[in-house]
Amino acid sequence: MSRITEPLIVGRVVGEVVDNFSPSVKMNVIYNSNKNVANGHELMPSVIIAKPRVVIGGDDMRAAYTLIMTDPDAPSPSDPFLREHLHWMVTDIPGTTDVSFGKEIVGYETPNPVVGIHRYVFILFKQRGRQTVRPPASRDHFNTRRFSEDNGLGLPVAVVYFNAQRETAARRR
């Protein structure tokens, strides 16, 4: 077990969302210019309102990537019958850049956890050139594995996730 993927296994991201993979590209997800997403760390809903900046550290500018963000715990971790809920999808992201240079095919939907602690997972796939990636018909019942298979993307090259839960008045202080 790789030290990089260990938190993904412990957090059940590997297994429930993606199969075991070997990370090969560096990906940084940053909210509000200063909140780096780290596996298993909690971010407050007030921090994740606007879409994050995602920086990809690929080694080839000619490479293209697809980024998806899902919530495998929708609508609640105890009954995730909407699993997975798709929050964002960007394709044709050039390597060594950020997602603002990609093509947003599913707009960013602000996470809004109502019940329980939700995992929000960013999954990066390397495309085979400039291929057409088809968006899903619905945000609900999204399946990362099926999406990857249907679009010929293979295993992820990078994954990171954070936790969030409803922000109560007491937690905002």
Side-chain angles (χ1 to χ4, degrees):
M1 169 171 25
S2 155
R3 286 182 39 174
I4 295 170
T5 59
E6 185 175 348
L8 298 170
I9 293 167
V10 171
R12 299 178 336 275
V13 170
V14 168
E16 289 185 12
V17 181
V18 297
D19 292 325
N20 206 358
F21 70 101
S22 295
S24 59
V25 173
K26 188 172 172 65
M27 174 176 67
N28 290 316
V29 179
I30 307 122
Y31 278 97
N32 293 340
S33 302
N34 64 353
K35 294 283 186 192
N36 280 320
V37 172
N39 284 323
H41 289 204
E42 183 175 1
L43 293 177
M44 296 295 189
S46 58
V47 170
I48 56 179
I49 292 170
K51 65 182 159 188
R53 180 168 177 251
V54 180
V55 180
I56 298 167
D59 56 5
D60 184 356
M61 190 62 176
R62 295 169 298 186
Y65 296 90
T66 293
L67 174 76
I68 60 174
M69 177 188 178
T70 71
D71 174 0
D73 302 314
S76 75
S78 60
D79 187 18
F81 66 86
L82 296 177
R83 174 177 294 168
E84 302 163 42
H85 182 80
L86 180 65
H87 279 271
W88 195 27
M89 184 180 293
V90 183
T91 65
D92 297 327
I93 306 163
T96 69
T97 187
D98 67 52
V99 296
S100 64
F101 293 97
K103 179 179 164 190
E104 187 175 70
I105 61 173
V106 176
Y108 183 78
E109 180 181 89
T110 301
N112 185 23
V114 178
V115 177
I117 299 171
H118 289 242
R119 296 167 292 166
Y120 294 95
V121 186
F122 293 89
I123 305 117
L124 186 69
F125 294 98
K126 186 173 183 178
Q127 296 173 205
R128 291 178 310 198
R130 300 283 181 199
Q131 69 188 76
T132 300
V133 175
R134 295 178 307 281
S138 169
R139 288 181 185 261
D140 290 331
H141 306 291
F142 182 80
N143 183 294
T144 297
R145 287 182 182 95
R146 188 172 50 243
F147 169 79
S148 172
E149 187 177 305
D150 290 350
N151 288 282
L153 296 170
L155 291 172
V157 294
V159 176
V160 66
Y161 82 102
F162 68 90
N163 295 318
Q165 60 184 311
R166 185 173 166 203
E167 213 168 326
T168 63
R171 292 186 72 221
R172 283 187 213 132
R173 289 185 205 161

